[in-house]
Amino acid sequence: MKAWTFSRKVSVFIAVSVLIVSAVVSGFVYITFKNWTERQERDLLNAKLKQIELQIGELKFLPSLLRPGLSIGKKTAAYLKPDLSALQSELDEGQHLQLFDSKGELLAEVSRGESIHNPVNYTVKSEFNLLVYGPVKLQLTDNGYSRSATAEREIGRLLLLGLFITAGLGILAGGIVARSALKPIRTMIQEVQNIGTSNLNQRLHLPNAKDELHQLGETFNGFLHKLDISFEQQRRFVADASHELKTPLAIIEGHTRMIQRWGKKSPEILDESLDFMMNETNRMKELISQLLLLAEMESSAPSDAGEVSDLKETLRELISQSVHVNPEVTLIYEESPSIDQILIQMPKAASYQALRNIVENALKYTPEHGTVTIEVMIRDAQIIVKVKDTGIGIPADQLPHIFDRFYRTESSRNRTNGGSGLGLAITKTIMERYGGSVVIDSNIDQGTKVTLYFIKV
């Protein structure tokens, strides 16, 4: 069985809607016309009956009333049989006229057409006194073959025919409207099917009208843009990670070969090679740990988002360990004695890692006799930490890239001072993970200022 497509559903929905509306309108018109014709028919029958009653009461009609014959009346009326045939020309097709006495016995009748054997649709009656016969009842019936009744049936047939025609036109119009309305969607589907991992930079063509389809296309293009950026970051991440791991592995491999050739005979070469291998192994372990940390923070929502820590205690612990990173640089931090705690919405381990990356970078890239200053400010719902240094600074053209993974400025390309290039990326991820942010301002040879915004509790 063929599946019902969306366009087919739309076509059927439009056709059914048109059919229902047409049926309701046609039914209303038919019922209104039927009630109007019934009232008109009864009014006409009443008017005709009044006219016939006047004719029967005229003197010139007496011969028809007093015609000899066996009747069912009493006294004189028993020998007279009324004749209404003279009134046949006054009747329309399908009408039947009857005269009854006071007891309901039929005295005379006349009809036009085969109305006696057909069902009666309309009936009107009139009672009056008739010469010789006394109180009588005159009854006029119509079996529906009058002009108005025929018109009613014709209107009903026309409305029924119009209903079928409307249903057909509704199905046709539904198909045309659905095909026309869904044409942009089919075009989008074809364009989406042509987009793959190799051409994520391709975008959907948006309709000129600023309607829901335009919004859908914009939303999907925005999604493609984010996906393109994500794939590009992933490709760059894999390339950079491969490059970063490739270098220490090459160093380890080179020293391994040195040990194989000369290490057994030369203790100095053996010790030197083992030291290099140990350093590169530690560097690889640190790099892998940082990569795992980034992957963990980006893969799922934080389960400890509501955890609270004391930033004052975290800074005190961090400073006591960071002073040994570069003893030639003065680290300045003044606690506020009036404040016992500075509570932030972030686990202690996360805040320590974010601050450590910033403070250690400031100490590494500040020359001898320079200073690194840490300031804490409380403003509304935020705790602001500023880390300022008098170091080498960062060129303006490199500032937009410093949060990229494995990115190192030109001044930190050497392995002696430069790290893996993941520290700032980790800090940014941590801050955004817990609702905060980080901003860097720097000028070459004038120092760097890093501002971290924590959520206050």
Side-chain angles (χ1 to χ4, degrees):
M1 183 177 179
K2 192 175 180 180
W4 276 70
T5 61
F6 182 71
S7 59
R8 187 172 298 179
K9 292 178 182 179
V10 172
S11 302
V12 172
F13 176 77
I14 293 176
V16 172
S17 300
V18 171
L19 183 61
I20 292 175
V21 172
S22 301
V24 171
V25 173
S26 299
F28 174 77
V29 172
Y30 178 76
I31 292 173
T32 303
F33 181 77
K34 184 175 183 296
N35 292 333
W36 180 80
T37 53
E38 287 179 354
R39 288 195 302 269
Q40 290 292 104
E41 184 67 19
R42 288 192 178 91
D43 292 342
L44 290 174
L45 287 178
N46 278 319
K48 182 172 290 188
L49 189 62
K50 293 295 182 182
Q51 184 180 359
I52 292 174
E53 181 183 337
L54 292 175
Q55 291 182 6
I56 293 175
E58 293 179 354
L59 292 175
K60 63 180 182 180
F61 199 76
L62 284 176
S64 297
L65 292 175
L66 303 177
R67 182 171 294 182
L70 184 61
S71 183
I72 59 175
K74 296 181 179 180
K75 299 180 181 181
T76 307
Y79 303 99
L80 300 173
K81 183 172 180 60
D83 184 9
L84 301 178
S85 59
L87 299 173
Q88 188 176 26
S89 61
E90 301 292 334
L91 303 178
D92 293 329
E93 186 72 24
Q95 292 183 346
H96 184 53
L97 179 64
Q98 294 175 304
L99 181 65
F100 298 92
D101 63 5
S102 59
K103 295 182 179 180
E105 298 293 337
L106 180 65
L107 297 176
E109 62 180 344
V110 64
S111 62
R112 189 169 182 177
E114 299 296 330
S115 60
I116 298 177
H117 306 290
N118 289 326
V120 176
N121 288 344
Y122 309 105
T123 301
V124 292
K125 300 176 182 179
S126 177
E127 296 181 358
F128 61 98
N129 290 319
L130 188 61
L131 183 66
V132 179
Y133 300 96
V136 295
K137 180 173 66 175
L138 195 62
Q139 178 175 292
L140 179 61
T141 61
D142 191 322
N143 61 6
Y145 285 92
S146 61
R147 288 188 298 272
S148 59
T150 303
E152 177 188 327
R153 289 194 297 272
E154 290 300 322
I155 290 294
R157 293 192 188 99
L158 288 174
L159 290 175
L160 184 61
L161 177 62
L163 190 61
F164 285 114
I165 294 175
T166 302
L169 292 176
I171 294 174
L172 180 62
I176 295 174
V177 171
R179 187 177 298 275
S180 175
L182 296 178
K183 184 178 179 180
I185 297 180
R186 291 194 181 94
T187 303
M188 286 185 179
I189 291 174
Q190 293 176 355
E191 291 179 354
V192 171
Q193 290 174 344
N194 293 330
I195 297 176
T197 55
S198 60
N199 59 341
L200 284 174
N201 58 343
Q202 184 176 338
R203 297 293 179 264
L204 301 181
H205 293 89
L206 302 179
N208 295 327
K210 303 292 183 178
D211 53 8
E212 288 80 2
L213 290 179
H214 189 279
Q215 296 176 0
L216 176 62
E218 278 190 334
T219 302
F220 192 80
N221 283 342
F223 171 75
L224 285 176
H225 178 68
K226 294 178 182 177
L227 194 62
D228 188 20
I229 293 176
S230 177
F231 269 74
E232 181 61 30
Q233 289 177 344
Q234 183 179 9
R235 284 191 290 266
R236 189 170 65 249
F237 175 78
V238 172
D240 291 341
S242 301
H243 175 73
E244 293 293 328
L245 292 174
K246 180 179 175 182
T247 302
L249 285 174
I251 294 174
I252 292 175
E253 182 182 11
H255 284 282
T256 302
R257 293 184 184 276
M258 288 179 62
I259 293 175
Q260 288 178 337
R261 292 182 180 181
W262 304 291
K264 297 178 181 178
K265 299 178 181 180
S266 175
E268 293 81 4
I269 293 177
L270 177 62
D271 292 339
E272 181 182 357
S273 296
L274 289 177
D275 288 338
F276 273 108
M277 292 171 65
M278 184 61 68
N279 291 334
E280 295 302 323
T281 301
N282 292 333
R283 191 184 300 275
M284 288 176 59
K285 287 174 60 178
E286 180 68 19
L287 175 62
I288 293 172
S289 298
Q290 290 178 339
L291 288 174
L292 291 176
L293 178 61
L294 270 176
E296 179 184 356
M297 288 189 295
E298 293 181 349
S299 63
S300 61
S303 58
D304 52 0
E307 189 172 335
V308 177
S309 63
D310 183 4
L311 184 62
K312 191 172 182 179
E313 180 182 347
T314 303
L315 284 170
R316 188 183 299 119
E317 181 179 339
L318 173 65
I319 290 171
S320 64
Q321 298 180 9
S322 299
V323 292
H324 305 291
V325 173
N326 190 352
E328 303 298 329
V329 176
T330 303
L331 182 59
I332 302 173
Y333 169 63
E334 295 183 1
E335 291 188 0
S336 176
S338 60
I339 301 176
D340 295 333
Q341 289 181 322
I342 303 176
L343 300 181
I344 59 172
Q345 190 172 320
M346 182 183 293
K348 181 179 179 180
S351 61
Y352 182 87
Q353 181 69 44
L355 288 166
R356 176 190 172 188
N357 292 336
I358 302 300
V359 173
E360 287 188 357
N361 274 351
L363 292 171
K364 286 179 182 179
Y365 299 113
T366 300
E368 293 182 3
H369 310 298
T371 59
V372 174
T373 305
I374 301 176
E375 298 179 3
V376 179
M377 302 171 57
I378 301 176
R379 182 184 301 169
D380 298 330
Q382 289 182 324
I383 304 296
I384 303 174
V385 178
K386 294 183 179 181
V387 180
K388 302 177 183 178
D389 63 56
T390 57
I392 58 179
I394 303 172
D397 60 334
Q398 298 183 29
L399 277 175
H401 307 287
I402 57 175
F403 289 113
D404 296 345
R405 298 172 181 178
F406 298 111
Y407 184 84
R408 291 194 294 268
T409 61
E410 294 297 331
S411 57
S412 61
R413 292 296 181 184
N414 64 84
R415 285 189 166 272
T416 303
N417 294 327
S420 63
L422 290 174
L424 291 178
I426 292 175
T427 296
K428 184 175 185 291
T429 304
I430 291 175
M431 296 302 296
E432 292 179 349
R433 181 180 174 88
Y434 295 98
S437 60
V438 55
V439 178
I440 294 184
D441 296 317
S442 182
N443 293 304
I444 194 70
D445 295 328
Q446 294 182 13
T448 301
K449 180 179 70 173
V450 181
T451 307
L452 297 100
Y453 298 89
F454 296 90
I455 301 300
K456 178 185 175 183
V457 177

